[in-house]
Amino acid sequence: MKAAVLHEVGGVPRFEEFPDPVPAEGEVVIEVLAAAVENVDKAVAAGKHYASGKYLATMPMIPVFDGIGRLPDGTVVGFGNVRSPYGALAEKTVVPEGAYAPIPDGIDPAVATVMASAITALTMKTAAGLQPGETVLVQGATGVAGRLAIQVARLLGAGRIVATGRDDTQLAELRADATINTAVSDEALQKAFDEAGAYDVVIDFLWGRPTEILLRALTPDTFAFGTPTRIVQVGEVAGSDLVVPADALRTSGVELYGAGRNLSPESMGEAYQQVVDWTRAGELTFAIDRVPLSEIESAWQRGSSRGRRLVVQP
Ligand SMILES: NC(=O)c1ccc[n+]([C@@H]2O[C@H](COP(=O)([O-])OP(=O)(O)OC[C@H]3O[C@@H](n4cnc5c(N)ncnc54)[C@H](OP(=O)(O)O)[C@@H]3O)[C@@H](O)[C@H]2O)c1
């Protein structure tokens, strides 16, 4: 079969022949229809992710551990848990029986690869209990997940949406009510957070410095009742650590949640169905750069820009 084959840690996958996967007992071979290349896949291939060891144990290997494909009986499914060295950037891959779920009719497989990012955005409701009319701050709004979070906030009835990013051109493309550029001095950023108003819910893809400064902005400088702000931790593109001064929690009313709060098979199922319904109705749109598998080498190096997801189709 044809596959994107990685020969060394930190290398670039090449389009070449690779032996077809042979299923062991309890496994099934999947014909791959689409696979998204995300930051996490590049981090794994570069040996910079905690899961790198598992996926890079045998070289050469095929990157990307989930995708959309067709079972031998013709059912189109979203799959995960590929058996390394087989990955999703190939014509075929192999997974344990049951490590997949059907994709509803009428959903393009390339779109289906990006739906997880919209489900993640729904944690502003599942984790933080967003109510219609509330103000949402999307920290890191110019990426794929951030742009979807703006759409999701709108669909959930947010009253006001404030978006942060570090590029004015991209910020201007967003359908937010106000934008904040984080690539300014700490003082200027704190002032911008202050001036953009109170926030009920923050969905945070950045963490690190911008969120430390947000906490400073949320901390009252007089004795006053704090306005509760529920922050949902989702990503960490600006830094994995955060200094939280004691008074930032004690006096601000800030509540810090992980995106996994309140997640259960039922709430995941509801979030998935909600995203499917919005997608079918055309209310939620996904920005995708489709690339044939044969172009993986240049596409991997080029990446995707301006909030678009690179989706590879064999
Ligand atoms: N996609 C998902 O479903 C999902 C699920 C859970 C968690 N996450 C996490 O959420 C984060 C974003 O994912 P994504 O898929 O949206 O990534 P993405 O499309 O690559 O977007 C990343 C965004 O972060 C910005 N950025 C990068 N470094 C920054 C920095 N130092 N300071 C400020 N902004 C910075 C980039 O801005 P520029 O355009 O200016 O470079 C870009 O807008 C990642 O940490 C990811 O692991 C994603």
Side-chain angles (χ1 to χ4, degrees):
M1 67 172 178
K2 293 291 188 198
V5 183
L6 185 74
H7 288 267
E8 75 266 333
V9 177
V12 175
R14 295 201 301 256
F15 179 66
E16 37 188 63
E17 282 293 330
F18 200 83
D20 279 18
V22 178
E25 185 152 350
E27 289 185 334
V28 61
V29 168
I30 289 184
E31 177 200 345
V32 180
L33 299 175
V37 178
E38 302 197 19
N39 295 333
V40 62
D41 300 303
K42 291 194 164 180
V44 168
K48 294 179 179 163
H49 191 271
Y50 63 82
S52 293
K54 173 181 170 193
Y55 288 103
L56 302 179
T58 314
M59 283 286 187
M61 60 82 71
I62 301 170
V64 179
F65 41 78
D66 58 10
I68 309 298
R70 190 177 281 121
L71 295 177
D73 70 3
T75 311
V76 176
V77 295
F79 63 85
N81 211 1
V82 293
R83 189 216 327 139
S84 190
Y86 296 97
L89 290 185
E91 291 177 322
K92 295 175 197 166
T93 193
V94 61
V95 302
E97 272 172 14
Y100 38 76
I103 295 298
D105 292 342
I107 302 284
D108 174 349
V111 164
T113 63
V114 194
M115 283 182 5
S117 300
I119 295 169
T120 298
L122 267 168
T123 58
M124 65 182 86
K125 183 174 175 190
T126 51
L130 177 70
Q131 296 296 315
E134 289 193 315
T135 296
V136 174
L137 171 64
V138 181
Q139 273 274 67
T142 55
V144 174
R147 287 173 192 245
L148 283 166
I150 292 179
Q151 292 189 61
V152 166
R154 201 63 86 195
L155 287 164
L156 290 173
R160 177 173 157 79
I161 300 171
V162 181
T164 66
R166 55 181 183 174
D167 177 68
D168 283 334
T169 313
Q170 291 198 61
L171 283 170
E173 295 166 3
L174 306 178
R175 287 174 38 225
D177 300 301
T179 59
I180 295 173
N181 191 326
T182 60
V184 294
S185 71
D186 292 2
E187 294 70 27
L189 181 55
Q190 183 172 340
K191 189 160 173 277
F193 279 133
D194 274 335
E195 288 175 356
Y199 312 101
D200 297 299
V201 171
V202 180
I203 180 150
D204 198 319
F205 300 99
L206 295 182
W207 219 238
R209 171 188 169 266
T211 301
E212 280 187 13
I213 295 169
L214 171 67
L215 283 179
R216 270 186 234 162
L218 295 176
T219 307
D221 49 16
T222 57
F223 288 111
F225 293 114
T227 310
T229 298
R230 291 108 70 194
I231 300 179
V232 185
Q233 191 334 277
V234 187
E236 50 183 282
V237 291
S240 50
D241 298 322
L242 192 65
V243 173
V244 182
D247 61 353
L249 291 184
R250 192 172 59 240
T251 59
S252 66
V254 161
E255 297 166 16
L256 294 178
Y257 298 133
R261 180 174 189 250
N262 295 331
L263 280 189
S264 63
E266 291 72 33
S267 65
M268 280 291 284
E270 282 168 26
Y272 179 69
Q273 192 56 50
Q274 177 68 88
V275 168
V276 168
D277 292 347
W278 281 334
T279 306
R280 276 188 175 142
E283 293 177 293
L284 195 56
T285 55
F286 298 84
I288 291 170
D289 284 337
R290 292 172 199 258
V291 168
L293 185 59
S294 57
E295 289 175 18
I296 186 61
E297 200 168 331
S298 57
W300 182 273
Q301 293 174 90
R302 185 175 68 243
S304 237
S305 60
R306 305 183 87 80
R308 303 180 70 80
R309 180 71 80 224
L310 176 64
V311 177
V312 177
Q313 297 199 270

